[in-house]
Amino acid sequence: MVSTTSRQAYLETGLGVLADQGYGGLKLAEVCRRLGVTSGSFYHFFANWGTYTGELITHWHTESTTLLVEGVRAQSDPRARIDALRAIGLSLPYRAEAAIRTWSSLDPEVKAVQQEVDAQRIAALSDAAFDILGDRRGADMFAKWSLYLLIGYEQITLPDDPDALAWLFSRAEQALIGGELRGIDASNG
């Protein structure tokens, strides 16, 4: 058994468990097994399981959205921001994110974090798209289109196909850059 580990290692391992086994597999025994530690080590870092899961979801929010969005927003070129957001979308831990969506349907606190993540991602996409398109409705539709693609990809049970997701993202970007989303009326398709 490994005698020492870190708080960060517990959080990253929890995300790994979510990715591999889904929300139902997120158990103290599995996290400790993967780290090669006893549950006593766990309690050195976390007061209880609720503290751990709260920190885990906060860690995911910070690492997979807040810090990334802040980095993207620091770029002045809107096309570079769209490129960076696409790269982020293609690199997210899809299976862990799908498990967190399941978890959010069962836990109101996790749901609140999931809603904040979705809102941050939509806002970053929409703001960059608006700077390209100059049309708020079209920018919002691009942002929703992109996020709907990502969420669908995360939820599907077929084998991962990042090339297909990249192609779908590129189609949305082409519509944005080509001005197809300017002046759209979503109620008429």
Side-chain angles (χ1 to χ4, degrees):
M1 290 267 172
V2 175
S3 60
T4 62
T5 192
S6 69
R7 182 177 221 89
Q8 182 76 15
Y10 276 102
L11 298 172
E12 291 300 323
T13 300
L15 291 175
V17 172
L18 286 168
D20 298 340
Q21 297 184 11
Y23 172 64
L26 184 61
K27 306 282 188 225
L28 174 60
E30 180 60 17
V31 171
C32 290
R33 185 192 69 73
R34 287 184 182 208
L35 287 169
V37 299
T38 65
S39 60
S41 171
F42 172 87
Y43 290 109
H44 173 75
F45 292 101
F46 304 98
N48 55 48
W49 185 249
T51 300
Y52 171 73
T53 57
E55 287 189 35
L56 176 61
I57 204 67
T58 298
H59 169 76
W60 166 73
H61 177 203
T62 301
E63 297 294 319
S64 292
T65 301
T66 302
L67 294 176
L68 298 174
V69 166
E70 287 173 2
V72 167
R73 287 188 180 279
Q75 298 182 38
S76 59
D77 178 19
R79 287 191 184 194
R81 291 196 314 264
I82 293 290
D83 289 345
L85 289 164
R86 178 184 357 93
I88 289 166
L90 292 169
S91 68
L92 289 171
Y94 304 118
R95 299 297 167 226
E97 294 222 349
I100 291 167
R101 281 196 186 278
T102 298
W103 186 4
S104 76
S105 71
L106 302 169
D107 184 323
E109 291 177 18
V110 176
K111 183 176 184 174
V113 174
Q114 181 68 70
Q115 289 171 326
E116 177 60 27
V117 164
D118 289 346
Q120 284 181 290
R121 291 175 178 179
I122 286 275
L125 285 160
S126 182
D127 290 348
F130 179 77
D131 289 346
I132 292 168
L133 195 60
D135 178 278
R136 181 51 66 189
R137 178 70 176 148
D140 289 346
M141 291 300 286
F142 169 78
K144 289 177 182 177
W145 184 359
S146 299
L147 195 59
Y148 295 167
L149 286 173
L150 177 64
I151 294 167
Y153 184 79
E154 291 172 350
Q155 297 296 316
I156 199 159
T157 58
L158 297 173
D160 290 347
D161 188 351
D163 292 336
L165 182 61
W167 183 84
L168 290 165
F169 281 156
S170 74
R171 299 299 299 162
E173 288 174 50
Q174 288 173 10
L176 172 69
I177 303 300
E180 294 173 46
L181 300 174
R182 188 175 290 112
I184 62 170
D185 179 2
S187 65
N188 291 331

